Amino acid sequence: MSLSIHDELHLSNRSQWLRAAVLGANDGLISTASLLVGIAAANANSQTLLLTGLASLTAGALSMAAGEYISVSSQADTEKADLAKEQHELTHNSERELLELTKIYEQRGLDHDLAHQVAVALTEHDALEAHARDEIGLTDISTAKPLQASIASALSFIVGAIVPVMGILLLPAETLVWSLASLTVVGLILLGVVSARLGGASIIPATARVVIWGVLAMLATSFIGGFFGVAV
């Protein structure tokens, strides 16, 4: 019976899509809720609030998708340029690159002879992969994936933004500002817990930072809406 070399699950494998998903959900929930709280504080009617929420959800999801794709694509372009440069060096200065790889392994604790043996073996196996991993720091986990980040960010933004939008439909109009803020805090707590669990982090700090920044955003927009709003 064959066994996998790595049976344990490494949470860092989730880093690329998890970062985009948490950012998208957090932004969708906070930005949409803060916008709606601010407008509700200005005594806007429910139709205006619903239209605003849907517009915020749509524009925000598209903006997050485009922003993530452009940003991560730039990272991918940089990685490709580094790999092309490394391939050029391997083709024209192979001995110097072998020495460079040897020095890297020496700095990690191997003696010179063993470091040289490892460098030679890995160079013969796949020189570019060895330099990408050990010199540049590129791995399958860290490699930029623009489309994955874009989709994760857009979908998670929608999931986050739909919470305050649904609140407009379900919460009582008389206490909408406080009810919407309370609903958002609950959503932020759930987001903090879920992101901490997925990332293997401590739940309390992860949840606290999400809730604190969300509350500050809602307080700011509520103040602005109440200050500039005109009672109908």
Side-chain angles (χ1 to χ4, degrees), residues 22 32 83 110 152 166 176 180 190 231:
V22 171
T32 305
L83 289 175
L110 301 183
M166 291 300 295
L176 186 58
L180 190 58
L190 291 175

Side-chain angles (χ1 to χ4, degrees), residues 3 9 22 35 38 92 119 153 169 171 176 189 191 213 230:
L3 294 177
L9 175 64
V22 171
L35 179 63
H92 296 87
S153 183
L169 299 173
L171 297 174
L176 186 58
I189 292 173
L191 175 61
W213 283 105
V230 178

Side-chain angles (χ1 to χ4, degrees), residues 150-174:
S150 176
I151 293 173
S153 183
L155 291 179
S156 59
F157 185 97
I158 293 172
V159 171
I162 202 69
V163 174
V165 172
M166 291 300 295
I168 297 299
L169 299 173
L170 301 177
L171 297 174
E174 301 78 18

